[in-house]
Amino acid sequence: MKVIWISSVLPTGPFDPNLQSPSASTRYRLLQPCRYLATRGVDSFILHPKDFALESSSLLSDADVVAFSKLMSPDVKLFKKHADLNLQIIHKAREQGKTVLVDICDNWFSHAEYGPYHLEIVRLGDRIIASTERMAEIIYGH
């Protein structure tokens, strides 16, 4: 089994168990799951949205699952650029019949700039992962 993790904070490449991040949410919600899955024989590959081009979407072809991790940036223009790329990736993954996981750990649904993306990606995901029971209730309400 192979999982491609879409992350705007890590470099593109095969998962390296020595990879570190100053971001707690990246460590707990992406790196630790990758390490655990590796012990179970699951390969992980990290894809930064900027490295995905629709014409080279063959990166997705050997994946079983495409997992979208937290997308956040204080730079709204950069956020929107990565959000647009993520939505292209999710549509291509769905076209290829991949299972799409979406990990939501913060409530941005009502935010003027970040909300529309979060609402859309939750709608498009096959499975939604919530950080807490309360977050799951919030997601379910949308």
Side-chain angles (χ1 to χ4, degrees):
M1 175 176 263
K2 183 173 185 177
V3 178
I4 294 185
W5 300 80
I6 311 302
S7 171
S8 62
V9 297
L10 295 172
T12 293
F15 173 68
D16 174 355
N18 297 312
L19 192 59
Q20 299 295 321
S21 173
S23 165
S25 62
T26 300
R27 288 192 310 271
Y28 294 131
R29 304 192 64 76
L30 196 154
L31 297 177
Q32 284 186 355
C34 284
R35 287 184 187 107
Y36 174 79
L37 290 171
T39 69
R40 300 295 188 252
V42 176
D43 292 326
S44 290
F45 186 91
I46 297 169
L47 176 63
H48 192 290
K50 71 175 178 54
D51 294 327
F52 180 81
L54 290 178
E55 58 273 11
S56 66
S57 63
S58 61
L59 282 171
L60 300 178
S61 64
D62 62 342
D64 300 290
V65 175
V66 180
F68 289 80
S69 69
K70 180 179 182 175
L71 173 59
M72 186 45 55
S73 173
D75 178 343
V76 173
K77 186 175 178 180
L78 182 61
F79 173 86
K80 287 184 175 186
K81 178 181 176 182
H82 288 169
D84 287 344
L85 290 167
N86 276 5
L87 291 173
Q88 290 177 36
I89 295 168
I90 200 169
H91 286 294
K92 184 56 73 174
R94 291 181 65 76
E95 283 174 19
Q96 293 183 12
K98 307 303 176 186
T99 299
V100 174
L101 302 180
V102 175
D103 184 19
I104 301 290
C105 60
D106 296 311
N107 181 5
W108 291 104
F109 296 105
S110 299
H111 191 277
E113 302 292 342
Y114 304 136
Y117 164 77
H118 286 87
L119 291 167
E120 182 71 2
I121 200 164
V122 163
R123 185 183 70 75
L124 293 171
D126 293 307
R127 299 284 186 266
I128 310 303
I129 303 163
S131 56
T132 65
E133 286 184 38
R134 178 64 185 131
M135 189 72 245
E137 292 168 0
I138 292 167
I139 293 167
Y140 185 74
H142 291 282

